[in-house]
Amino acid sequence: MNAADEYLLGDSALYGRLCLVTELLGHFVASAPRAVSLEQLEKLSGRPARELIRLCNIFCREQVLQPHAGQPQSWTLACETSQLTLEDAFRCAMSEQASRARSAKQKSAAEQQDAVRPEIGMLVMQATMGINQSVFQHLRQFSLDRLKVTAAGMFSSRRSSDDALRAWPPARLSFS
């Protein structure tokens, strides 16, 4: 495996964000239909509360999660686990990444756009649209409910740590 295999569209930061978003959504899939609290997410992911709240707000804006009415700082999936795909995770990762970089890129994107000849801009835009459609089509084929099968062993705290150490093979995310 070479270094390029670890990137998504040549972007290691996007790959990392997609993995994080998929991991967090995997916690919701494993817990569905129950709500997942901020405290649970902190414990399961090791991420700070501020980052998790920001991500859950993005998930709600993208209509992947919904706030739980009876529990503050808790969320549930907004759809069935079988309907949640890597495409949804990718869209959330892109939305999160775009919101982080929006202000810095606005000025430089406008300057770059002025420097690009219209015919080149049109050609690259058409290629980008085709690539994005293809990526979304492929990601749509991977339902996150695949994680539910093995996630119970990974995300659950039902077994003691001694039991978890004795369990073989160790729980793994699988894409079957």
Side-chain angles (χ1 to χ4, degrees):
M1 184 161 88
N2 64 38
D5 293 336
E6 297 177 15
Y7 300 143
L8 180 64
L9 303 177
D11 187 344
S12 62
L14 178 57
Y15 177 84
R17 297 315 289 176
L18 179 59
C19 289
L20 171 62
V21 166
T22 303
E23 176 189 0
L24 294 176
L25 292 176
H27 296 310
F28 286 96
V29 168
S31 297
R34 297 179 315 272
V36 177
S37 70
L38 177 60
E39 183 179 310
Q40 290 171 312
L41 282 177
E42 284 180 291
K43 190 181 294 184
L44 292 168
S45 70
R47 298 289 183 159
R50 184 176 178 187
E51 178 183 18
L52 293 170
I53 290 171
R54 184 174 46 78
L55 287 168
C56 286
N57 287 335
I58 289 170
F59 297 160
C60 288
R61 187 176 64 232
E62 295 293 323
Q63 300 178 346
V64 173
L65 295 183
Q66 57 192 10
H68 189 273
Q71 300 172 356
Q73 293 191 323
S74 295
W75 302 267
T76 59
L77 286 176
C79 62
E80 294 293 321
T81 58
S82 61
Q83 293 176 330
L84 190 62
T85 67
L86 275 178
E87 178 187 15
D88 299 306
F90 183 73
R91 288 182 188 276
C92 290
M94 293 296 294
S95 178
E96 192 270 340
Q97 188 175 20
S99 67
R100 297 173 100 211
R102 188 169 290 128
S103 61
K105 286 188 175 180
Q106 283 176 342
K107 292 180 183 176
S108 65
E111 292 169 359
Q112 288 176 353
Q113 188 66 22
D114 291 339
V116 174
R117 292 191 346 227
E119 63 274 12
I120 293 174
M122 182 63 77
L123 179 64
V124 171
M125 181 176 58
Q126 289 173 343
T128 301
M129 290 171 59
I131 291 167
N132 284 342
Q133 289 173 356
S134 179
V135 167
F136 290 144
Q137 180 182 5
H138 287 288
L139 292 174
R140 200 173 300 129
Q141 295 174 15
F142 296 94
S143 174
L144 294 189
D145 71 345
R146 293 180 180 191
L147 298 175
K148 195 169 190 170
V149 174
T150 57
M154 243 183 119
F155 304 130
S156 175
S157 59
R158 293 180 199 150
R159 294 188 288 174
S160 71
S161 59
D162 292 338
D163 291 342
L165 290 174
R166 285 192 292 266
W168 188 258
R172 294 180 188 266
L173 296 178
S174 79
F175 296 99
S176 55

